[in-house]
């Protein structure tokens, strides 16, 4: 993978939208669990990240039930999952809030996984991507569905340097599991 020209090591921000959730009656949005399809798709997302050599050094996950379940099922596909931070700011966040969270990441983290929600994640990917390989930007503009994964690569010495147009969108995948 290549990132945009710049100083510092290659860094990757891997953005994962939570898997498909259910809509039980009288359950607050933040407490909605994954649907059956989501429980199939989340492990597929973990396998897709491993197959793309995009395993993170750190994961930051929204505190919503569906994002936590997505993380647990995806990370369960790896031998040794990285540390995870649950951050309430990621739930219902817009681009400035998401950037604030990302910019606080320690410099030693080279690959960061951010698990959250739309529309914030889709807007973040489009804000940060100055360019994209193949039709990746068009894919995100058309739809960033549940279990979608976007990989943004860039060079920088700290995460605080990441800003609009600084990254190259190298990959977009929509992970789907199969029915048993």
């Amino acid at each position: 993978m290549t990132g945009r020209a710049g100083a510092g090591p290659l860094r990757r921000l891997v953005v994962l939208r939570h898997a498909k959730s259910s809509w039980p009656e009288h359950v607050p949005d933040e407490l909605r669990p994954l649907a059956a399809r989501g429980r199939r798709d989340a492990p597929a997302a973990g396998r897709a990240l491993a197959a793309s050599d995009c395993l993170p050094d750190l994961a930051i996950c929204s505190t919503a039930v569906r994002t936590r379940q997505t993380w647990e099922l995806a990370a369960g596909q790896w031998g040794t999952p990285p540390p995870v931070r649950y951050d309430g700011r990621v739930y219902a966040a817009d681009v400035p809030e998401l950037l604030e969270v990302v910019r606080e990441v320690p410099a030693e983290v080279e690959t960061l996984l951010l698990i959250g929600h739309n529309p914030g994640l889709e807007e973040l990917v489009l804000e940060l991507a100055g360019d994209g390989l193949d039709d990746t930007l068009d894919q995100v503009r058309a739809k960033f569905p549940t279990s979608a994964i976007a990989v943004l690569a860039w060079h920088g010495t700290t995460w605080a340097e990441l800003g609009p147009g600084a990254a190259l969108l190298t990959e977009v995948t929509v992970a789907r599991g199969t029915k048993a």
Side-chain angles (χ1 to χ4, degrees):
M1 271 184 212
T2 60
R4 299 191 51 90
L10 177 65
R11 297 183 183 278
R12 293 181 299 177
L13 174 60
V14 181
V15 177
L16 170 60
R17 184 174 174 203
H18 65 79
K20 184 72 173 170
S21 61
S22 64
W23 293 84
E25 264 189 69
H26 310 296
V27 174
D29 184 71
E30 196 168 354
L31 300 179
R32 290 191 297 117
L34 291 180
R37 188 179 101 195
R39 290 191 300 276
R40 290 190 306 269
D41 292 350
R47 291 189 297 274
L49 290 170
S52 294
D53 195 27
C54 280
L55 295 182
D57 302 312
L58 173 68
I60 297 177
C61 183
S62 161
T63 53
V65 168
R66 60 192 177 275
T67 53
R68 295 172 72 99
Q69 290 175 334
T70 299
W71 160 251
E72 291 163 5
L73 291 168
Q77 303 301 303
W78 312 327
T80 305
V84 61
R85 291 186 191 163
Y86 297 102
D87 192 322
R89 296 176 295 171
V90 177
Y91 177 74
D94 60 14
V95 170
E97 292 165 317
L98 291 168
L99 270 176
E100 180 180 325
V101 169
V102 169
R103 287 176 174 156
E104 293 172 2
V105 171
E108 60 269 11
V109 172
E110 292 184 355
T111 299
L112 173 66
L113 174 61
L114 179 64
I115 306 168
H117 314 267
N118 261 3
L121 290 184
E122 178 179 328
E123 292 168 355
L124 178 69
V125 170
L126 294 173
E127 176 83 9
L128 295 177
D131 200 359
L133 296 181
D134 302 321
D135 66 344
T136 53
L137 281 168
D138 290 337
Q139 288 178 50
V140 175
R141 284 183 192 115
K143 187 173 185 182
F144 197 66
T146 57
S147 299
I149 302 165
V151 180
L152 293 152
W154 64 287
H155 288 274
T157 54
T158 69
W159 286 91
E161 298 169 14
L162 182 58
L168 175 67
L169 182 59
T170 61
E171 187 175 341
V172 175
T173 303
V174 179
R176 293 291 183 242
T178 56
K179 290 183 181 181

